[in-house]
Each structure stands twice: as C-alpha cells, then as structure tokens.
Amino acid sequence: MRRRLRVVESAVAGLLLLLSAACGSRLPESDFEHRGTSTPSAGTTPVRVGIITSATSPVGGAAFTGPRDGAKAWFERLNARGGIDGRPVEVRLCDDGGSGVGNNECVHRLIGQDKVVALVATTALDYAGADRVSRARVPDIGGQPIGAAYDTYPHLYGIYGSLAPRDGTPGWGGQLYGGTEVYRYFAREHGARTAAVVSYNQAASAAYARLVARGLKAEGYRVVTEEVDFALPNFRAVAADLKEQGADLVFDALDTHGNAQLCEAMDKVGAEVTAKVTNVQNWTSTVPEDYKDSPRCRNALWATGSSRNYEDADHAAVREFREATEKLGAHSQWQLEGWAAAMWFTEAAEACAEAGTGVTRACVDGFMNRREGQDEGYTADGLLIPVRFERLAEPPKTRRACLSVARWQDGEGWVSQGDMNADCFDVPQLAYRP
C-alpha cells in the first residue's frame, strides 16, 4: 500500500467534481467507445483488454485521460512488435462520463459483452462498478486510486500497490492510512518549518485541508490555514497573509483555476515560497499555459509522486515512453503511469502464454496475486517506485516510504530532484476515512 497522504491528493478529484460542477462545467456524456489499437489479422484471436476512463467527466475533458493515452501508446508499440505470443492486443475503450451509472455500464459492457481478459489503467471519478469487477474475478491492473476501491476489493491492483486486506471493506475497518514523507522531505532537504494550507469554505475542500494540516503538524510544522470563499474568493488577501506569515511551503485544496489565481496573487504581492507543492495529477507539460500570469510562483512549483519523472529521458524506459507518445503533444506523469500499467499487464499475459495456460482472466490474476517476487515489488523497468501487494491484518504504525520529486523550471520543464529510490523515510501512518 502506498496510500500516503500525498497519494490521497489524488482524491482531490472528488473535490474537483464538486468544484467543477459548481463552476458550470458541462455535464458528462455517456459516450462509450469500441475502438481498438489494432485490427487483428485473419485467423488470429486478439487478446482483448478494457480501459475505463472518465473522459467526459464534470472535471473536464483532459483531467483523466492521461493513463488511457499512455496505456494505448504501449499497446500500439507492443502490437507493432508482434503482440503477445503472436496475438495482437485489442483495446476496448469506455468513457463512463464520470458517473456511477456510466461506470457500471462500462463494467457491464467490457466484462459481460466484450469479454475482456483484464482492465488496465482504470481512471474513474466514481468507480461504482468495482465490486462487480471483483466478483467477476477480472483483474484490474494499474488503476489510479482516485477513490478507495483499490484498497477495498480483491482482484483490483492499483498502480501504487496496497497493504490492506481488500476484503470488501475499505482499508482496515473503513480507515485508510497515509504517510508524511512529503512533509519530512521538505523539512530535511529545504529546512521548511512553516507551511500554509489553502482551501475553499466548502465541505470537501475543508476536509482535505484538515488532512494535510494534520500530516504537517505530525512532522512538526507550524501550520497556517487559509480559507477563501468559494463563490467570491479573495486570493490577494490570502497571498498577502502568506507573505506576512513567512510560509515556506504552500499546499492547497483548490481546483486548477483556483491554483492559478492563487499563484497570480502571490506574484502580485511578492509572496515568495520555497515550494508551491502540487500532486501527480498536475505533473504535466501544460504548466506554462496553466500558470502563464505567475512566472515567479510557476517556478516555485514542485510535484511529488511514486513514478519516475517523464522528463528523465536519460533513463531508457522513459526514453521509450517519450518516443512512443511524441505525437500526443502534451505529456504528463499520468500518461507514464498508464504506460507502466500496460507494461504490467503485458508481463502477466506473456508469463501465462509461456506457461502454456493461455492468457485467461484466472491466469493473469494469479500472476498479479503471486507471492514469489513480491518482496522486491514491481518497477516497470524502473518507472515505478517498487509496488507491492500484501494483506496485513493490522495497519502499519510506521512505514519506510520513498518518493519521486520534481521542480518546474522555465526552459527546462520538470527537473528531477534526487533519486526516487533513495529519497526514503521511516514515517508514521495516519488514519483517515475515505
């Protein structure tokens, strides 16, 4: 389980649903797709996989598509090389529109009608069909843990792993646990001691802000909390107070638009911080456009995650990813994680083919659930911090956790900071309810 507080930041998607809907974004469309990445050769039975994405969710059209695009790019390259044991991979896409109803429809269609062997790189705002996937014993490999499904059900294997029992109840008795390594990192590497947490006066935003503040306090920070009105936010007043309080770090429970406004206000009042910390979902190449009016704050953006920086082209696996996705225009960390999820499925399917059992749901699931080799964890050729699945009866009180860190710099993009397999800390695990 790598359900740390920084990964909980992925759960900000739930917050974004509320924020975007209130801002008047268009409602989701149930636009289910049946496209594949290849046309199987005559007489060749394809290996069929499904990808569920909230592509037209209220959060916005591009918010959740990164993992899908990365996975598709992997399968396209794999098919160009001959597929799996000579069989092409046929990808069935389904857009659930960001709704529970749409998600259940996707699950029914892909599992019941299309008979996919597995789901790959699931990125669902409301994974309402997770229980059905689990009951059907369909392996779901490398999905994004936006909700608690990957710490709740067997046969679901999130991209960051899990230590939870996964017996149908989230985590341990309904509680998940996350670590404080992000806060420990900035204290150790940059001497940060004062951190601000900015939120809206809205329930989901405020709840997430309290979670971040709790983790910061556990690491000994002086915490400054700032709340703005959702309808009429006064970011200039917040920025002025951040300057007055001498904040070293700024964390937030805001949407992308709110973040951009906050950064612009910080630049205008001259509020300089060591780091404006964001999460893996915002680790993208669109930073210059998203923060075009705040160059000082833009160059103070830092991102943390559990995967190797997509800009690290000196690494062979990253270089292959970049070559395969160069036509996408923009790049993101979620694309790289979707690519890694597809790699993971391929490794499982190839092992099944080599064993002579055939690429079946049961065999792929057995590979994912195997005990041998789990101590080392899965790394996708070095793209992921080692991912493990265990089923601990009790939650760990402390855990050694590693993190990948990058900083945005104009002209260079996201620049890696340190080694993700060496920036590791023994940190407390704090309970929270999803």
Side-chain angles (χ1 to χ4, degrees):
M1 176 197 73
R2 199 166 282 117
R3 297 291 304 186
R4 56 195 69 177
L5 293 185
R6 66 183 174 79
V7 172
V8 176
E9 291 175 357
S10 319
V12 78
L15 162 65
L16 289 177
L17 169 60
L18 297 174
L19 300 180
S20 299
C23 288
S25 297
R26 64 188 173 86
L27 294 175
E29 305 165 11
S30 295
D31 179 21
F32 305 109
E33 303 181 64
H34 275 251
R35 296 196 303 268
T37 60
S38 70
T39 301
S41 303
T44 302
T45 304
V47 176
R48 187 174 292 167
V49 300
I51 301 178
I52 299 175
T53 308
S54 296
T56 55
S57 77
V59 177
F64 294 99
T65 55
R68 177 201 69 188
D69 294 343
K72 284 178 60 183
W74 167 268
F75 288 129
E76 287 166 2
R77 176 158 287 204
L78 178 68
N79 285 340
R81 294 173 175 172
I84 297 172
D85 194 31
R87 299 169 62 190
V89 175
E90 180 183 333
V91 178
R92 294 294 178 97
L93 305 179
C94 197
D95 174 9
D96 68 9
S99 74
V101 172
N103 187 265
N104 272 311
E105 172 64 21
C106 277
V107 168
H108 171 73
R109 185 171 297 187
L110 294 176
I111 291 177
Q113 297 179 18
D114 293 347
K115 307 295 184 184
V116 298
V117 170
L119 300 177
V120 178
T122 300
T123 312
L125 187 57
D126 182 359
Y127 198 177
D131 181 47
R132 184 172 187 168
V133 173
S134 180
R135 284 187 283 107
R137 298 179 178 270
V138 175
D140 177 342
I141 300 172
Q144 288 291 338
I146 294 169
Y150 291 98
D151 283 311
T152 301
Y153 299 107
H155 313 293
L156 274 60
Y157 306 93
I159 194 68
Y160 306 126
S162 176
L163 299 182
R166 293 186 292 143
D167 56 4
T169 300
W172 291 265
Q175 288 190 318
L176 302 181
Y177 287 76
T180 59
E181 59 272 21
V182 169
Y183 317 130
R184 180 80 59 88
Y185 169 85
F186 282 103
R188 188 192 75 174
E189 297 297 323
H190 302 284
R193 300 314 306 158
T194 299
V197 185
V198 185
S199 66
Y200 290 120
N201 62 342
Q202 185 264 355
S205 178
Y208 177 67
R210 287 194 296 270
L211 180 63
V212 174
R214 183 180 167 213
L216 287 164
K217 289 176 181 177
E219 288 297 330
Y221 282 82
R222 180 172 76 90
V223 179
V224 177
T225 57
E226 304 280 358
E227 186 177 83
V228 295
D229 184 79
F230 176 67
L232 296 169
N234 187 349
F235 285 110
R236 190 179 183 91
V238 169
D241 194 50
L242 294 179
K243 182 179 179 181
E244 179 69 22
Q245 296 284 349
D248 301 312
L249 308 177
V250 176
F251 294 85
D252 70 87
L254 308 173
D255 56 343
T256 302
H257 179 64
N259 263 300
Q261 287 185 300
L262 175 60
C263 262
E264 185 176 356
M266 289 171 63
D267 270 20
K268 286 182 177 178
V269 304
E272 297 187 28
V273 296
T274 300
K276 171 70 177 70
V277 187
T278 188
N279 56 65
V280 66
Q281 189 178 5
N282 296 314
W283 192 336
T284 73
S285 62
T286 61
V287 166
E289 296 81 42
D290 295 338
Y291 297 88
K292 64 182 185 299
D293 296 321
S294 47
R296 188 187 298 114
C297 181
R298 181 173 69 235
N299 283 279
L301 287 175
W302 291 64
T304 63
S306 297
S307 52
R308 189 174 299 278
N309 184 2
Y310 74 83
E311 299 262 29
D312 286 348
D314 288 341
H315 191 278
V318 175
R319 191 162 54 248
E320 183 180 5
F321 161 76
R322 292 298 298 262
E323 291 170 355
T325 57
E326 61 182 354
K327 293 182 180 179
L328 290 179
H331 282 96
S332 74
Q333 203 64 15
W334 264 13
Q335 289 172 359
L336 180 139
E337 292 182 354
W339 171 275
M343 288 179 64
W344 207 349
F345 165 78
T346 300
E347 184 174 321
E350 288 179 339
C352 290
E354 291 172 4
T357 60
V359 183
T360 65
R361 292 174 177 177
C363 182
V364 171
D365 187 65
F367 177 91
M368 296 298 298
N369 209 33
R370 73 198 189 287
R371 294 301 306 166
E372 64 274 12
Q374 287 293 314
D375 290 342
E376 294 77 17
Y378 182 71
T379 69
D381 290 343
L383 294 179
L384 302 174
I385 291 173
V387 182
R388 299 175 179 86
F389 294 97
E390 298 181 47
R391 294 185 177 180
L392 303 184
E394 300 292 333
K397 294 182 179 179
T398 62
R399 191 180 182 208
R400 185 161 182 80
C402 305
L403 69 161
S404 175
V405 185
R407 178 184 180 182
W408 179 268
Q409 293 182 316
D410 286 348
E412 298 183 57
W414 289 103
V415 179
S416 296
Q417 308 293 307
D419 181 349
M420 71 178 190
N421 292 309
D423 285 332
C424 305
F425 307 89
D426 294 309
V427 292
Q429 300 293 298
L430 306 181
Y432 65 95
R433 288 196 175 275

